[in-house]
C-alpha cells in the first residue's frame, strides 16, 4: 500500500481539512436560510452529514482507492468542489432561481422544491469529498486514531469559533470568501516542495480576488422576479450581518401616478419592516384597532414599550397618538435595520433620524428576552405592544419564538404598570390565549374573560387583542363599544369578543372560556405542530398544498429518505464479509451517532435563547462539543479505566441528565447576564458531556484494532456519520412537537440501551466492545 510522503504531518492536514469542513457547514446554514427560506434552514446539518457519510462509505466499498490515495490530488479536487459549489450556488440563486417572498411562497411550492433539489445536489458534493479525505486519513493513520480524531475535532471547533466573528464583520459574502481562501490551506500544507506551494498560493489569491468580485456583483444584482407580489420592486441598499441580509426596497405602485412605498426586508422576506415617515404631528384616536385602543378607551400611556420595532414605524404612530407626551422605547434585534432607516438617502424625507434623536425616544438594539430581563428595578410600562407574528411558524434558528412563551408573558406582566395595557396586533390569537390563561392561573389572577377584548381588522388577516390584567372599567367598555359602532362606516370595527356586551364569537369563546389548551414554554416554543396524521410520502394528485403542509412534508420526508439511505448502506455493507461491522459494533455506532446529534441539536436549541443569537448558539455549541470531544478523544489512550463500553455509556447517561437540569436552571435564572459570561457558563455546563461523548469513537476503533479488524475503520466512520445524518434530521423535526428536553431524555435512553446491551453482551463473552488487556 502506498502512503503519503513521511514528511507530511497528518494531524495538521486533518486539522486544516476539518476546519474548512465545519466552516462550510456553518456557511451552508446561512445559504439555505437566505436562498431556500427559513422553513428549509434545518437542511444544512443533514446535507453536510449525508455528504460526509457517502464519502466515507465510498472508501469502504472501494478499498482499492486507498492504494492509489494521493493526498495532493484529493485536496485539489476538494478545493475545486468548494469554490465551484459556493460560487455556483450564490450566482444561480441570485439570478436564475432568485428569492421568493414568504407572502406568496404557498403559491410557489413547486418552484421551492426544485430549488431545494438543486441545492442539495450542489452542496452534497463538497462534503462527499471531505468525507473521502478524512476517512482515508483515518484509515491510513488508524494506529494514531486518538490524536488524529482529536485534530479533526479541534479544527472543527476553531471553525465554529471563527465563523460568527466573520459573519459579524462582513456577513455571508465575506465568510464565503474567507472559506474559499481557507479551502486552499490543506492543499498548501500537502505540497511537497516550495515551488508547488508558491503556485498554490498564487492560484488561491487569484481565485479569491475573482470570487470576491463575482459574489459582490451577484449580491448587488439579486433578481426580484420570483417575488410574486404586486408591483415592481427595486433594491436600493443592502448589507449583511450575523442575523441576516437586510435590504431597503422600493415598491413602485402598479397604479399609474401612484406613489412608491418602502420596506426593509430580511433575507427572503420572512420579516418585513414597515418604513413610515415622521412629520411631528398629533393624531386623534378615532378607530378601534390595536395601536389606537388605549387612547380610544381614554387611557393616556406615558411610558410605552414596542417589541419588534424595526425602524420605529409603530413608535412614530404612538408618538402622534400621545401628542408627543410619552416616553417610547422600541426593541429591535438587527442593528442594520436601524442603520438603514436612519442613514439611507432614499428615505431621508421620512425624517426617521430626527424622530429617533429625541430624548423621549429610544430604539434599543438587543435580543428581546435579554432586553426584558435586564430592565432596571422598578421599570414599568403603561403600554406594551407586540406587533409581530413571532412564534406561529415551525421554524428553528430564530429567537423571536421565545417572545410568545409562558415565561415571556410572565416577564411582560412583571413590567406592566398597574392599569396598563398589552396589545397583540395582527396575530393569530387562540394559542396565545391559552398561554395567557396559564400565566393568569400561575399568578393567581381570575376572571380572564373580562380582561380581554378582541377586535377584527378587515384590512389584515388576523385580529387584534387588547389585554388589561386589571380589567376594564364600565366607562372604558362604553367607549370601545361606541368606537366600534361609529356613524362613519370607514371607522367601524367588528368586535369579536367582549364579554361585558355579550359579544362572544365561537372562535374565541372556546379559547377564552373553554377547557385550557396546550401551552408553549421555553423548552418547546413552537406554536405550529407538524401535522403527522395527514402526512403522505407521495401526496395524491390534486391535494391542496399549503405552506403548513409543506413544512410537515419536507421535514418528515427528509427523515424518511435519510433513514432509508442509512438502512440501504447498512445492508450493503453487511455483504462484505471481511470488512463488515459486526452486529454489536453496528448497534454501538448507530446509537452513539444518533444520540450525539440528539444532544447537540437539543443543547443548541436550549442555548439559542440563553446566548441571544441563533448563529452564536449554533457556533458555540458545535465549537464546545467538538473541542471537548477532541479533548476526550486525545486523553482516551491514557484513561485505561474508561476502556470499557459499559463505563463510557454509564457516564454518558449521567452527563446528559446533569446537563439537562443545569441548562434549565441557567435559562430560567441567568438570562440577564452579559453574553461573554453566559458563554463561559455554557462552556462549563456542557464540557463534561462533550468530553464523555468524545470517548466513544476512539474506543470503538481501538477495540477493532485490538481484534485485528482494522479494515473496518472506514465503515465505522461512515456508519457513525450516517447515523448522525438521521439523528440530526430527526432531532430538528421532532423537537417542534416534543421539545428540547424530550430529545435529551431520548438520548439518555439510547445510552441506557447501549449500557444494558454491553453488560449482557460482555457477560456472554462477546469481544467486539472490549479492549484486549495486555
Amino acid at each position: 500500500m502506498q502512503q503519503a510522503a513521511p514528511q507530511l504531518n497528518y494531524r495538521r492536514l486533518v486539522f486544516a481539512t476539518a476546519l474548512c469542513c465545519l466552516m462550510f457547514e456553518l456557511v451552508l446554514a446561512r445559504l439555505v436560510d437566505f436562498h431556500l427560506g427559513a422553513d428549509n434552514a434545518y437542511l444544512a446539518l443533514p446535507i453536510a452529514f449525508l455528504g460526509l457519510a457517502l464519502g466515507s462509505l465510498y472508501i469502504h466499498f472501494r478499498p482499492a482507492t486507498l492504494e492509489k490515495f494521493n493526498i495532493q490530488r484529493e485536496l485539489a479536487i476538494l478545493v475545486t468542489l468548494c469554490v465551484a459549489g459556493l460560487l455556483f450556488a450564490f450566482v444561480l440563486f441570485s439570478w436564475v432561481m432568485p428569492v421568493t417572498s414568504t407572502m406568496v411562497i404557498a403559491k410557489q411550492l413547486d418552484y421551492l422544491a426544485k430549488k431545494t433539489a438543486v441545492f442539495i445536489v450542489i452542496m452534497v458534493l463538497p462534503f462527499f469529498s471531505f468525507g473521502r479525505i478524512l476517512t482515508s486519513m483515518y484509515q491510513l493513520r488508524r494506529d494514531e486514531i486518538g490524536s488524529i480524531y482529536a485534530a479533526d475535532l479541534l479544527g472543527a471547533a476553531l471553525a465554529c469559533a471563527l465563523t460568527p466573528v466573520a459573519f459579524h464583520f462582513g456577513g455571508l459574502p465575506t465568510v464565503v470568501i474567507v472559506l474559499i481562501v481557507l479551502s486552499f490551506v490543506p492543499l498548501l500544507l500537502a505540497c511537497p516542495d516550495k515551488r508547488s506551494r508558491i503556485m498554490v498560493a498564487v492560484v488561491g489569491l487569484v481565485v479569491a480576488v475573482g470570487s470576491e468580485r463575482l459574489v459582490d456583483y451577484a449580491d448587488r444584482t439579486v433578481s426580484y422576479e420570483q417575488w410574486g407580489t404586486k408591483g415592481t420592486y427595486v433594491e436600493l441598499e443592502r448589507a449583511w450581518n450575523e442575523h441576516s441580509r437586510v435590504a431597503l426596497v422600493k415598491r413602485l405602485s402598479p397604479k399609474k401616478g401612484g406613489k412608491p412605498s418602502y420596506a426593509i426586508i430580511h433575507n427572503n422576506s420572512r420579516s418585513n419592516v414597515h418604513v413610515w415617515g415622521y412629520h411631528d404631528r398629533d393624531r386623534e384616536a378615532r378607530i378601534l384597532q390595536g395601536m389606537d385602543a388605549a387612547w380610544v378607551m381614554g387611557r393616556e400611556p406615558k411610558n410605552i414599550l414596542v417589541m419588534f420595532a424595526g425602524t420605529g414605524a409603530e413608535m412614530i404612530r404612538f408618538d402622534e397618538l400621545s401628542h408627543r407626551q410619552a416616553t417610547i422605547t422600541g426593541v429591535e434585534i438587527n442593528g442594520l435595520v436601524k442603520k438603514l432607516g436612519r442613514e439611507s438617502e432614499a428615505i431621508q424625507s421620512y425624517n426617521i433620524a430626527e424622530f429617533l434623536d429625541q430624548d423621549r425616544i429610544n430604539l434599543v438594539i438587543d435580543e428581546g428576552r435579554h432586553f426584558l430581563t435586564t430592565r432596571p428595578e422598578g421599570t414599568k410600562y403603561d403600554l406594551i405592544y407586540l406587533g409581530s407574528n413571532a412564534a406561529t411558524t415551525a421554524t428553528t434558528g430564530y429567537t423571536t419564538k421565545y417572545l410568545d412563551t409562558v415565561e415571556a408573558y410572565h416577564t411582560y406582566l412583571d413590567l406592566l404598570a398597574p392599569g396598563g395595557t398589552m396589545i397583540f396586533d395582527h396575530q393569530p390569537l387562540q394559542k396565545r390565549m391559552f398561554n395567557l390563561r396559564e400565566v393568569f392561573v400561575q399568578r393567581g389572577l381570575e376572571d380572564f374573560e373580562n380582561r380581554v377584548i378582541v377586535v377584527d381588522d378587515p384590512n389584515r388577516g388576523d385580529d387584534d387583542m387588547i389585554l388589561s390584567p386589571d380589567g376594564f372599567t364600565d366607562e372604558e367598555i362604553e367607549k370601545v363599544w361606541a368606537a366600534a359602532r361609529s356613524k362613519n362606516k370607514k371607522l367601524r370595527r367588528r368586535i369579536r369578543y367582549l364579554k361585558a356586551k355579550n359579544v362572544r364569537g365561537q372562535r374565541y369563546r372556546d379559547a377564552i372560556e373553554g377547557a385550557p389548551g396546550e401551552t408553549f414554554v421555553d423548552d418547546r416554543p413552537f406554536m405550529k405542530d407538524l401535522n403527522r396524521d395527514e402526512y403522505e410520502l407521495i401526496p395524491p394528485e390534486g391535494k391542496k398544498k399549503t405552506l403548513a403542509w409543506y413544512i410537515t412534508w419536507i421535514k418528515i420526508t427528509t427523515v424518511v429518505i435519510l433513514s432509508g439511505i442509512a438502512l440501504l448502506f447498512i445492508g450493503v455493507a453487511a455483504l462484505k464479509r471481511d470488512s463488515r461491522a459486526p452486529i454489536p459494533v453496528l448497534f454501538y455506532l448507530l446509537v452513539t451517532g444518533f444520540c450525539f446529534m440528539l444532544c447537540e441539536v437539543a443543547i443548541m436549541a436550549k442555548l439559542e435563547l440563553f446566548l441571544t443569537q441563533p448563529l452564536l448558539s449554533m457556533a458555540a455549541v458545535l465549537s464546545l462539543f467538538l473541542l471537548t470531544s477532541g479533548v476526550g478523544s486525545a486523553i482516551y489512550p491514557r484513561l485505561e479505566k474508561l476502556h470499557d463500553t459499559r463505563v463510557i455509556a454509564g457516564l454518558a447517561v449521567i452527563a446528559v441528565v446533569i446537563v439537562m437540569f443545569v441548562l434549565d436552571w441557567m435559562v430560567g435564572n441567568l438570562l440577564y447576564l452579559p453574553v461573554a459570561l453566559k458563554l463561559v457558563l455554557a462552556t462549563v455546563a456542557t464540557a463534561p458531556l462533550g468530553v464523555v461523548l468524545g470517548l466513544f469513537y476512539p474506543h470503538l476503533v481501538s477495540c477493532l484494532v485490538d481484534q485485528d479488524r482494522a479494515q473496518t475503520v472506514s465503515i465505522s466512520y461512515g456508519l457513525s456519520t450516517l447515523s448522525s445524518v438521521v439523528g440530526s434530521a430527526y432531532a430538528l423535526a421532532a423537537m417542534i412537537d416534543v421539545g428540547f428536553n424530550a430529545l435529551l431524555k431520548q438520548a439518555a435512553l439510547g445510552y441506557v440501551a447501549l449500557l444494558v446491551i454491553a453488560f449482557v453482551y460482555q457477560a456472554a463473552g462477546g469481544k467486539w466492545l472490549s479492549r484486549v488487556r495486555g
Side-chain angles (χ1 to χ4, degrees):
M1 180 183 296
Q2 295 179 351
Q3 296 191 6
Q7 67 267 27
L8 285 183
N9 187 318
Y10 265 71
R11 283 188 288 273
R12 191 166 60 179
L13 281 174
V14 169
F15 177 88
T17 305
L19 189 152
C20 294
C21 182
L22 249 292
M23 181 171 280
F24 203 124
E25 184 178 323
L26 291 172
V27 169
L28 187 65
R30 292 300 301 274
L31 280 169
V32 172
D33 184 21
F34 176 56
H35 290 301
L36 300 185
D39 297 312
N40 282 334
Y42 81 101
L43 284 171
L45 281 176
I47 290 173
F49 280 113
L50 178 61
L52 289 170
L54 294 178
S56 177
L57 292 169
Y58 178 87
I59 297 298
H60 172 71
F61 292 128
R62 301 192 63 183
T65 57
L66 285 172
E67 300 175 7
K68 306 173 186 176
F69 183 69
N70 184 304
I71 188 67
Q72 290 87 7
R73 182 185 64 231
E74 294 297 331
L75 290 173
I77 293 173
L78 176 64
V79 168
T80 303
L81 290 174
C82 286
V83 174
L86 288 168
L87 295 183
F88 183 74
F90 218 99
V91 171
L92 177 72
F93 295 118
S94 294
W95 298 338
V96 182
M97 303 183 82
V99 295
T100 303
S101 170
T102 53
M103 293 181 288
V104 297
I105 200 169
K107 300 176 182 177
Q108 299 192 18
L109 293 178
D110 290 339
Y111 172 71
L112 180 60
K114 292 175 184 176
K115 288 181 67 174
T116 303
V118 172
F119 192 90
I120 291 173
V121 171
I122 295 171
M123 290 305 166
V124 160
L125 294 177
F127 287 101
F128 175 80
S129 183
F130 277 120
R132 285 183 59 184
I133 292 170
L134 289 171
T135 303
S136 297
M137 289 193 284
Y138 278 172
Q139 185 72 41
L140 294 173
R141 288 293 184 270
R142 55 186 174 271
D143 293 332
E144 307 168 32
I145 188 63
S147 59
I148 291 292
Y149 191 52
D152 181 338
L153 296 173
L154 293 175
L158 180 60
C160 293
L162 293 177
T163 306
V165 178
F167 271 118
H168 176 74
F169 287 103
L172 182 60
T174 298
V175 181
V176 166
I177 303 306
V178 170
L179 177 56
I180 287 174
V181 172
L182 286 177
S183 66
F184 282 88
V185 172
L187 179 58
L188 194 67
L189 293 174
C191 288
D193 53 60
K194 184 177 180 180
R195 183 185 175 198
S196 57
R197 286 194 291 271
I198 292 175
M199 290 179 59
V200 169
V202 170
V203 172
L205 179 62
V206 171
V207 170
V209 172
S211 299
E212 190 277 332
R213 301 275 178 90
L214 180 60
V215 167
D216 180 67
Y217 181 68
D219 191 41
R220 284 188 285 110
T221 54
V222 170
S223 170
Y224 282 82
E225 272 187 35
Q226 295 294 334
W227 241 42
T229 52
K230 294 179 181 178
T232 301
Y233 286 81
V234 179
E235 185 174 289
L236 303 178
E237 294 184 51
R238 95 283 185 229
W240 289 84
N241 63 8
E242 63 269 34
H243 297 291
S244 64
R245 181 184 190 271
V246 182
L248 174 65
V249 176
K250 178 169 72 173
R251 177 181 178 271
L252 304 178
S253 174
K255 297 180 181 179
K256 188 175 181 179
K259 292 184 179 180
S261 59
Y262 298 87
I264 293 177
I265 64 173
H266 294 280
N267 285 355
N268 65 328
S269 180
R270 70 162 180 270
S271 175
N272 293 317
V273 176
H274 301 299
V275 180
W276 294 347
Y278 171 65
H279 303 293
D280 193 20
R281 65 189 178 191
D282 294 339
R283 180 190 295 266
E284 300 301 326
R286 299 186 300 155
I287 188 168
L288 183 61
Q289 59 185 14
M291 279 189 286
D292 299 52
W295 287 271
V296 167
M297 291 187 294
R299 299 185 179 186
E300 296 290 338
K302 299 300 182 185
N303 198 10
I304 301 171
L305 174 63
V306 178
M307 304 301 293
F308 316 103
T311 60
E314 289 81 6
M315 297 169 68
I316 292 172
R317 178 70 168 266
F318 287 133
D319 190 57
E320 295 172 348
L321 287 166
S322 68
H323 296 184
R324 291 158 292 153
Q325 298 301 307
T327 298
I328 306 173
T329 302
V331 183
E332 166 61 40
I333 193 172
N334 197 322
L336 284 177
V337 174
K338 179 180 178 180
K339 186 175 187 293
L340 287 177
R342 288 181 62 98
E343 301 177 9
S344 296
E345 292 185 8
I347 53 174
Q348 284 299 300
S349 62
Y350 280 47
N351 303 316
I352 294 173
E354 178 186 340
F355 172 71
L356 296 178
D357 285 339
Q358 298 179 80
D359 292 338
R360 297 178 297 101
I361 309 301
N362 185 23
L363 179 53
V364 180
I365 303 302
D366 198 357
E367 194 276 326
R369 283 287 291 278
H370 181 261
F371 172 86
L372 295 173
T373 55
T374 54
R375 292 311 82 215
E377 188 174 352
T379 299
K380 295 292 181 181
Y381 298 100
D382 304 310
L383 172 63
I384 298 179
Y385 175 85
L386 292 91
S388 174
N389 182 10
T392 56
T393 181
T395 301
T396 60
Y398 304 102
T399 58
T400 51
K401 60 183 173 288
Y402 293 104
L403 287 164
D404 268 309
T405 62
V406 167
E407 293 89 341
Y409 288 173
H410 272 295
T411 308
Y412 286 130
L413 293 187
D414 289 340
L415 295 173
L416 193 64
T421 311
M422 273 187 72
I423 302 296
F424 294 80
D425 192 316
H426 180 50
Q427 298 184 33
L429 297 175
Q430 285 95 332
K431 293 185 178 181
R432 288 175 171 83
M433 289 171 174
F434 293 140
N435 270 14
L436 285 166
R437 288 176 62 184
E438 176 63 21
V439 171
F440 269 52
V441 170
Q442 292 179 11
R443 297 173 80 95
L445 299 174
E446 299 177 350
D447 201 23
F448 177 73
E449 59 269 22
N450 282 315
R451 305 185 191 211
V452 294
I453 300 173
V454 181
V455 182
D456 174 44
D457 188 333
N459 299 316
R460 306 173 82 176
D462 295 303
D463 300 326
D464 298 341
M465 178 167 64
I466 306 158
L467 171 71
S468 179
D470 294 325
F472 304 97
T473 66
D474 292 340
E475 182 181 4
E476 289 173 340
I477 290 172
E478 291 304 322
K479 288 180 178 179
V480 166
W481 190 251
R485 297 159 64 89
S486 172
K487 293 180 180 179
N488 186 336
K489 291 184 179 181
K490 293 183 179 180
L491 301 180
R492 291 178 188 171
R493 283 293 183 268
R494 179 184 176 187
I495 296 178
R496 290 187 173 273
Y497 188 91
L498 178 55
K499 188 177 181 183
K501 291 293 185 180
N502 201 32
V503 179
R504 300 154 67 201
Q506 186 70 37
R507 182 180 184 187
Y508 293 115
R509 183 175 62 187
D510 292 343
I512 294 172
E513 303 176 24
E518 184 179 16
T519 57
F520 299 85
V521 296
D522 287 346
D523 183 60
R524 184 187 173 260
F526 307 100
M527 284 194 173
K528 259 188 182 176
D529 299 331
L530 298 181
N531 191 357
R532 291 171 294 175
D533 293 339
E534 297 184 10
Y535 171 77
E536 296 173 283
L537 179 61
I538 303 177
E541 193 171 340
K543 181 180 178 66
K544 184 179 180 181
K545 297 178 181 179
T546 63
L547 182 57
W549 169 86
Y550 177 77
I551 292 171
T552 297
W553 185 86
I554 189 68
K555 285 179 166 58
I556 296 179
T557 300
T558 301
V559 177
V560 170
I561 291 176
L562 292 178
S563 299
I565 292 173
L567 290 174
L568 174 65
F569 278 108
I570 290 169
V572 174
L575 298 177
K576 298 192 68 175
R577 189 179 188 87
D578 59 336
S579 60
R580 67 187 178 189
I583 296 299
V585 172
L586 177 63
F587 179 79
Y588 180 106
L589 291 169
L590 295 180
V591 168
T592 55
F594 188 85
C595 291
F596 183 95
M597 291 311 302
L598 293 186
C599 294
E600 187 175 275
V601 170
I603 292 174
M604 196 184 303
K606 291 180 76 69
L607 288 178
E608 193 175 273
L609 170 62
F610 188 67
L611 297 178
T612 74
Q613 294 181 22
L615 179 63
L616 180 59
S617 169
M618 182 178 184
V621 172
L622 286 174
S623 180
L624 290 172
F625 257 59
L626 292 166
L627 182 61
T628 53
S629 295
V631 171
S633 179
I635 65 175
Y636 169 79
R638 296 191 290 273
L639 302 175
E640 291 189 10
K641 292 184 179 180
L642 298 184
H643 293 181
D644 188 318
T645 300
R646 297 167 297 184
V647 175
I648 302 176
L651 289 175
V653 174
I654 296 170
V656 170
V657 173
I658 290 176
V659 80
M660 180 173 64
F661 285 109
V662 170
L663 290 183
D664 277 344
W665 180 82
M666 286 167 50
V667 173
N669 297 279
L670 303 178
L671 288 182
Y672 62 89
L673 293 177
V675 172
L677 180 55
K678 289 193 286 189
L679 270 172
V680 174
L681 292 175
T683 302
V684 173
T686 58
L689 176 60
V691 172
V692 172
L693 298 187
L695 300 172
F696 279 104
Y697 186 67
H699 172 66
L700 181 71
V701 172
S702 297
C703 290
L704 293 173
V705 171
D706 286 353
Q707 300 291 343
D708 296 324
R709 290 296 294 270
Q711 67 271 29
T712 60
V713 170
S714 60
I715 189 62
S716 71
Y717 181 75
L719 292 177
S720 178
T721 308
L722 203 56
S723 64
S724 295
V725 177
V726 180
S728 63
Y730 167 79
L732 287 164
M735 70 181 182
I736 293 172
D737 282 350
V738 304
F740 312 137
N741 279 346
L743 294 183
L744 290 174
K745 292 174 183 176
Q746 290 173 17
L749 289 175
Y751 291 123
V752 167
L754 178 61
L755 176 62
V756 172
I757 293 297
F759 263 112
V760 174
Y761 177 69
Q762 290 182 227
K767 63 180 182 178
W768 294 111
L769 301 181
S770 306
R771 298 293 306 274
V772 174
R773 305 292 179 181

